[in-house]
Coordinates of all heavy atoms in Angstrom, one line a residue:
S1093 N -42.0 21.2 64.0 CA -43.0 22.3 63.9 C -42.2 23.6 63.8 O -41.0 23.7 64.2 CB -43.9 22.3 65.1 OG -43.2 22.5 66.3
F1094 N -42.9 24.6 63.3 CA -42.2 26.0 63.1 C -43.1 27.0 63.7 O -44.3 26.8 64.1 CB -42.0 26.2 61.6 CG -41.0 25.4 61.0 CD1 -41.3 24.2 60.5 CD2 -39.6 25.8 61.0 CE1 -40.3 23.3 59.9 CE2 -38.6 25.0 60.5 CZ -39.0 23.8 59.9
P1095 N -42.6 28.2 63.9 CA -43.4 29.3 64.5 C -44.7 29.6 63.7 O -44.7 29.3 62.5 CB -42.5 30.5 64.5 CG -41.1 29.9 64.5 CD -41.2 28.7 63.7
E1096 N -45.7 30.1 64.4 CA -47.0 30.3 63.7 C -47.0 31.4 62.7 O -47.8 31.4 61.8 CB -48.0 30.7 64.8 CG -48.4 29.5 65.7 CD -49.6 29.8 66.6 OE1 -50.1 31.0 66.5 OE2 -50.0 29.0 67.4
F1097 N -45.9 32.3 62.7 CA -45.9 33.3 61.6 C -45.5 32.7 60.3 O -45.7 33.3 59.2 CB -45.0 34.4 62.0 CG -43.5 34.0 62.0 CD1 -42.7 34.0 60.9 CD2 -42.9 33.7 63.2 CE1 -41.4 33.6 60.9 CE2 -41.6 33.4 63.3 CZ -40.8 33.3 62.1
I1098 N -45.0 31.4 60.2 CA -44.7 30.7 59.0 C -46.0 30.0 58.5 O -46.5 30.2 57.4 CB -43.6 29.7 59.1 CG1 -42.3 30.5 59.4 CG2 -43.4 28.9 57.8 CD1 -41.1 29.6 59.6
W1099 N -46.6 29.2 59.4 CA -47.9 28.7 59.1 C -48.4 28.1 60.5 O -47.7 27.8 61.4 CB -47.9 27.6 58.1 CG -47.3 26.3 58.5 CD1 -47.9 25.2 59.2 CD2 -46.0 25.8 58.3 NE1 -47.0 24.2 59.5 CE2 -45.8 24.5 58.9 CE3 -44.8 26.4 57.7 CZ2 -44.7 23.8 58.9 CZ3 -43.7 25.6 57.7 CH2 -43.6 24.4 58.3
G1100 N -49.7 28.1 60.6 CA -50.4 27.7 61.8 C -51.0 26.3 61.8 O -51.9 26.0 62.5
G1101 N -50.5 25.5 60.8 CA -51.0 24.1 60.6 C -50.4 23.1 61.5 O -49.7 23.4 62.5
P1102 N -50.5 21.8 61.1 CA -50.0 20.7 61.9 C -48.5 20.6 61.8 O -47.9 21.2 60.9 CB -50.7 19.5 61.3 CG -51.0 19.9 59.9 CD -51.3 21.4 60.0
E1103 N -47.9 19.8 62.6 CA -46.5 19.4 62.5 C -46.3 18.6 61.3 O -47.1 17.9 60.8 CB -46.0 18.7 63.8 CG -46.1 19.6 65.1 CD -45.7 18.8 66.3 OE1 -45.9 17.5 66.2 OE2 -45.3 19.4 67.3
I1104 N -45.0 18.6 60.8 CA -44.6 17.8 59.6 C -43.9 16.6 60.1 O -42.9 16.7 60.8 CB -43.8 18.7 58.7 CG1 -44.5 19.9 58.3 CG2 -43.4 17.9 57.4 CD1 -43.7 20.8 57.4
P1105 N -44.2 15.4 59.6 CA -43.4 14.2 59.9 C -42.1 14.3 59.3 O -41.9 14.6 58.1 CB -44.2 13.1 59.3 CG -45.6 13.6 59.1 CD -45.5 15.1 58.9
L1106 N -41.0 14.1 60.1 CA -39.7 14.2 59.6 C -39.4 13.1 58.5 O -38.5 13.3 57.7 CB -38.7 14.0 60.8 CG -37.2 14.3 60.5 CD1 -37.0 15.7 60.0 CD2 -36.4 14.0 61.7
Q1107 N -40.1 12.0 58.6 CA -39.9 11.0 57.6 C -40.2 11.4 56.2 O -39.5 11.0 55.2 CB -40.8 9.7 57.9 CG -42.3 10.0 57.8 CD -43.1 8.8 58.2 OE1 -44.3 8.9 58.1 NE2 -42.5 7.7 58.6
H1108 N -41.1 12.3 56.0 CA -41.4 12.8 54.6 C -40.3 13.7 54.1 O -40.0 13.7 52.9 CB -42.7 13.6 54.6 CG -43.9 12.7 54.9 ND1 -44.3 11.6 54.1 CD2 -44.9 12.8 55.9 CE1 -45.3 11.1 54.6 NE2 -45.7 11.7 55.7
I1109 N -39.7 14.5 55.0 CA -38.6 15.4 54.6 C -37.4 14.7 54.2 O -36.7 15.0 53.3 CB -38.3 16.4 55.8 CG1 -39.6 17.3 56.1 CG2 -37.2 17.3 55.4 CD1 -39.4 18.2 57.3
L1110 N -37.1 13.6 55.0 CA -35.8 12.9 54.8 C -36.0 11.7 53.9 O -35.0 10.9 53.7 CB -35.2 12.5 56.2 CG -34.8 13.6 57.1 CD1 -34.2 13.1 58.4 CD2 -33.8 14.5 56.4
T1111 N -37.1 11.5 53.3 CA -37.3 10.4 52.3 C -37.7 11.0 51.0 O -36.9 11.2 50.1 CB -38.3 9.4 52.8 OG1 -39.5 10.0 53.2 CG2 -37.7 8.7 54.0
I1112 N -39.0 11.3 50.9 CA -39.5 11.9 49.6 C -38.8 13.2 49.3 O -38.5 13.5 48.2 CB -41.0 12.0 49.7 CG1 -41.7 10.6 49.8 CG2 -41.6 12.7 48.4 CD1 -43.2 10.7 50.0
G1113 N -38.7 14.1 50.3 CA -38.0 15.4 50.1 C -36.6 15.3 49.6 O -36.2 16.0 48.7
V1114 N -35.9 14.3 50.2 CA -34.5 14.1 49.7 C -34.5 13.6 48.3 O -33.7 14.1 47.4 CB -33.7 13.1 50.6 CG1 -32.4 12.7 50.0 CG2 -33.5 13.8 52.0
A1115 N -35.3 12.7 48.0 CA -35.4 12.1 46.6 C -35.7 13.2 45.6 O -35.1 13.3 44.5 CB -36.5 11.0 46.5
E1116 N -36.7 14.1 45.9 CA -37.1 15.1 45.0 C -35.9 16.2 44.9 O -35.6 16.6 43.8 CB -38.3 15.9 45.5 CG -38.8 17.0 44.6 CD -40.2 17.5 45.0 OE1 -40.7 17.1 46.0 OE2 -40.7 18.4 44.2
G1117 N -35.3 16.5 46.0 CA -34.2 17.4 45.9 C -33.0 17.0 45.1 O -32.5 17.7 44.3
I1118 N -32.7 15.7 45.2 CA -31.6 15.1 44.5 C -31.9 15.0 43.0 O -31.1 15.5 42.1 CB -31.2 13.7 45.0 CG1 -30.6 13.9 46.4 CG2 -30.2 13.1 44.1 CD1 -30.3 12.6 47.1
L1119 N -33.1 14.5 42.7 CA -33.4 14.2 41.3 C -33.8 15.4 40.5 O -33.5 15.6 39.3 CB -34.5 13.1 41.2 CG -34.1 11.7 41.6 CD1 -35.3 10.8 41.7 CD2 -33.0 11.2 40.7
T1120 N -34.5 16.3 41.1 CA -35.1 17.5 40.4 C -34.2 18.8 40.5 O -34.6 19.8 39.9 CB -36.5 17.8 40.8 OG1 -36.5 18.2 42.2 CG2 -37.4 16.6 40.7
C1121 N -33.2 18.7 41.4 CA -32.4 19.9 41.5 C -30.9 19.6 41.6 O -30.1 20.1 40.7 CB -32.8 20.6 42.8 SG -31.9 22.2 43.1
A1122 N -30.4 18.8 42.5 CA -29.0 18.6 42.7 C -28.3 18.0 41.5 O -27.3 18.6 41.0 CB -28.7 17.7 43.9

Side-chain angles (χ1 to χ4, degrees):
S1093 59
F1094 291 89
E1096 291 189 0
F1097 67 83
I1098 297 178
W1099 73 83
E1103 296 177 334
I1104 302 178
L1106 189 61
Q1107 61 182 186
H1108 294 302
I1109 297 174
L1110 295 182
T1111 53
I1112 295 174
V1114 169
E1116 183 170 4
I1118 292 174
L1119 291 175
T1120 66
C1121 186

